[in-house]
Structures are given as C-alpha cells and as structure tokens.
Amino acid sequence: MAALKYAGMDDTDSEDELPPGWEERSTKDGWVYYANHDEMKTQWEHPKTGKKKRCAGDLPYGWEQETDEKGQIIYIDHINKRTTYFDPRQAFTVEDVMVKPKRYDGNTAALEILQGRDLSDKVVLITGGNSGVGFETARSFSLHGAHVILACRNLTRANKAVGLIQQEWHKARVEAMMCDLASLRSVREFAQSFKAKKLPLHILVCNAAVCTQPWSLTEDGLESTFQICHLSHFLLVQCLQDVLRRSAPARVVVVSSESHRFTDLLDSCGKVDLALLSPPKKEYWSMLAYNRAKLCNILFSNELHRRLSSHGVTSNAVHPGNMMYTSIHRSWWLMTFLFTLARPFTKSMQQGAATTVYCAVAPELEGLGGMYFNNCFRCLPSIQAQDQSSAASLWELSERLVAERPMGHSDVQISIN
C-alpha cells in the first residue's frame, strides 16, 4: 500500500477506479488496455489491481464500431447521434481468468464432454459407426451439429443407425457410406467417393474392429483381424491424408485397447514379424490376433502423428474402457456369455465413447498427439507400443502390403514361410 500511496494510486474510492492520468480503452476484438497519458505508455494490466479484462458480449443495439482517419477505433451511437472513443461494452467487462480444463474420468459420458459445444463447422468420419461405441460416438457428434459420415460394411444397419440419430434430432447431418475393411479395394473406392463430395475432414475416428473371429483370409489374402483392425485403417488414412492436411487443424483418433499389453510383434531380429500379424490357421488364436492388432493401432497412431503433425494433423490412440458390453465379441459364445453375466457392472456405450470424443475435441489437446488415453486420462502404453523403431517398421511393412495389393488386384495371396 505504501507504494500505491507514493504513486498517488490509493486516493480513489474503488479498487477498479483508475488513478489520475490513466484511461481505459479497448482493442477492436474487445481486449481492454490502459493508457497512461503522463508517461505516454500503455499496458494490458489494470494499474491498481494488476488484472486483465475483456469486453463481454456484442455492442448494444444501435451502436457501431468504426475507425477514424487517424486509425483509432471509434464507437457510433446511432440512436443518440453521438460518437465516442469509449467502448460501451467496457461497462460489462469480465476478468480474464484462465479456465482450467475440466477433468473427466471413466464415469463421464461423451455428451457430457460436448456440452455447450457447437460442431456445425466440423466434418467427422467414423468407421464402424453403426453400433456400440462407434454409434454413440457418431450420435454425440451429430447431436452437436457436426456433419458425420458412417463408413460401414453393412449399409442396411448403417442406414438404420442414421435413422435413429435423425429421429432424435431431425436436423442431424449424418449419412452412411459403404466401406468394407475386409477389402482394400473397398477402402480405396470409399476414399474416392468421399473425395468426390469435396468435403473437408476435421476428425477421423478409426473405430471399427473385430474380436474373437474364427480364422479366415480376406480377399486380399491376409488374416481378417489384422486387416480389419489395422491395415485397412492404415490405407484409409493414406488415401485421405491430403484431405486431412487441407482441413488442418485435423485430428485422427485410433481406437485401441488395453489388451495391447499382452503380446509382442517382433521377430528374433527385432523387426515387426508379418508371420505374427497374419498367421496361418494352425498358429492362429483369435484373442492373441486381436491383442496384436490393438498394439498395431498404437504404433500406427504414434508414427502417423510423427509424420503429419508438422502439417497440422495430430493423432492419438485411445482405450474406450474396460468391461463394455458390445457386439464385438459376437463370434465367441463363451465371451458373449461372460459379458452377459457382467453386464450390470460394465460401462455404458456413452461412457465408452467419452475418451474418443475427448481426444477429438479437447481444446487442451490442440496440436498434441502421439499419446495414449484411457478414461480421458493420458497414460503410458506398453514398452513396445512406445518404441519408435517398431512404429517405423510397422509403417514400412503396411506400406508394402497395400502397395502389393493395388486397386483391382485384390486376389494376391500372402506367402508366409
């Protein structure tokens, strides 16, 4: 207080009242600054409180902001026919307080994260968005104004999902497009059809997956779990990366799983082993194939972020949550039975979609990627999932596999020695 008294700043009636020689002004975009006419200087902080402020809301009815011949901002009151340098909104300034990001957890629903958000300027693409977590992700984005495209194998089910969302809100902009991840040809055709729409792409969610599938080869000669969960998503991003870059800032969210921790992809030389990713029938175990594909998801996301972050495209991997009752295990009756018993204790699909939605829209994650999230918290994946050389090796292998199977030549069988 002694310093204030010495400076002549303590003789005003209010804490916010300016000392003699000071004037409050505002910038064109509403930020308040203070001019000291005695010392001919300006500053953002209030000379007494040290606080920053900004003008709240729009100009009152009848007022207009213009610039005079000296380049100074003036305010015209058309109703009372007067002009002033004083921003009338300064009567309603608010303190510039840094708002801490809200903390979310495993009980948070996706719609909770989007509360108050307007996504009407966003285009979102979700693979496998016709059921389960993917449907709730699509529904959440759609109900907040985003233009959502469901890339699905079964158009009948996908159109049914579209109808359910539009029943909930008739203005929802959501549509279904054909994309069979068991066919690299179908992925390429989908990408061409999407590009023909001339849309931007702000959020790409690689959500579709299969689990506990009996062994089978796709038309491309690859084990189906590996191709559907990883390789087709790799190709999809490759085909759409120019759209993502033009739409920057853009985000890719890759849905993985905690099960990635219980496997390995490397051979004795430390390279990603294709024989482990796409094994012959006699060496196939469905749960292990799923775990390996989920490890591929994280490695892919990390390498994608490393390659595209400089172009404004970020990527993060997520685990939607433990113990969720979805249809992903429908191919194994025992898993379906166990999940039915555990259903009262599982997360809802809305809660399962929360981490994906969080990584897609959280302001605090703008420009950040190469991370792994569980229950809306960043956590460390397995040691191998953090290995850059494994990520690079998987990327090179994936590039080779899709290059060997160009459009119209999907009948090439893979040979594993």
Side-chain angles (χ1 to χ4, degrees), residues 20 24 48 82 129 133 164 231 267 271 298 323 334 339 376 415:
E24 186 177 84
K48 289 180 66 176
R82 58 177 179 160
V133 173
L164 289 173
L231 191 64
D267 60 18
K271 292 289 187 180
I298 300 177
M323 294 300 290
L334 178 59
F339 267 82
C376 301
S415 65

Side-chain angles (χ1 to χ4, degrees), residues 174-217:
V174 56
E175 60 180 300
M177 294 179 65
M178 172 66 183
C179 183
D180 183 359
L181 297 178
S183 166
L184 298 180
R185 172 184 49 79
S186 178
V187 174
R188 290 185 173 99
E189 289 174 350
F190 167 82
Q192 290 176 351
S193 298
F194 179 87
K195 288 181 176 181
K197 290 177 175 289
K198 305 296 183 184
L199 290 170
L201 181 55
H202 305 103
I203 299 169
L204 170 56
V205 180
C206 299
N207 166 82
V210 290
C211 181
T212 63
Q213 290 259 105
W215 183 88
S216 65
L217 293 179

Side-chain angles (χ1 to χ4, degrees), residues 342-417:
R343 190 166 189 172
F345 313 101
T346 60
K347 291 176 74 171
S348 70
M349 293 300 102
Q350 257 292 303
Q351 291 169 330
T355 305
T356 298
V357 168
Y358 172 75
C359 287
V361 303
E364 60 268 26
L365 295 183
E366 188 65 56
L368 302 177
M371 298 180 286
Y372 175 65
F373 289 81
N374 184 359
N375 291 329
C376 301
F377 282 91
R378 182 188 179 185
C379 59
L380 287 178
S382 69
I383 296 299
Q384 187 173 345
Q386 301 174 54
D387 183 47
Q388 291 185 5
S389 62
S390 295
S393 179
L394 176 64
W395 187 281
E396 292 168 5
L397 172 64
S398 302
E399 278 187 326
R400 179 168 65 82
L401 290 175
V402 298
E404 289 172 352
R405 293 156 179 82
M407 180 75 83
H409 294 80
S410 300
D411 55 348
V412 180
Q413 293 288 313
I414 186 170
S415 65
I416 302 174
N417 298 323

Side-chain angles (χ1 to χ4, degrees), residues 241-316:
Q241 68 166 303
D242 55 334
V243 183
L244 287 164
R245 289 167 63 164
R246 287 198 303 269
S247 309
R251 301 188 191 189
V252 178
V253 181
V254 183
V255 179
S256 181
S257 169
E258 277 291 280
S259 66
H260 82 275
R261 300 183 186 276
F262 311 117
T263 190
D264 196 359
L265 302 179
L266 304 182
D267 60 18
S268 57
C269 299
K271 292 289 187 180
V272 173
D273 189 354
L274 180 58
L276 295 177
L277 294 175
S278 184
K281 187 174 183 178
K282 63 181 180 180
E283 298 175 14
Y284 177 78
W285 180 34
S286 60
M287 201 64 229
L288 187 56
Y290 178 76
N291 295 351
R292 287 168 175 162
K294 294 293 103 179
L295 176 54
C296 286
N297 290 155
I298 300 177
L299 292 170
F300 163 56
S301 176
N302 292 347
E303 184 67 8
L304 176 65
H305 178 75
R306 190 186 71 80
R307 290 170 179 256
L308 290 190
S309 58
S310 60
H311 301 285
V313 181
T314 59
S315 181
N316 286 298

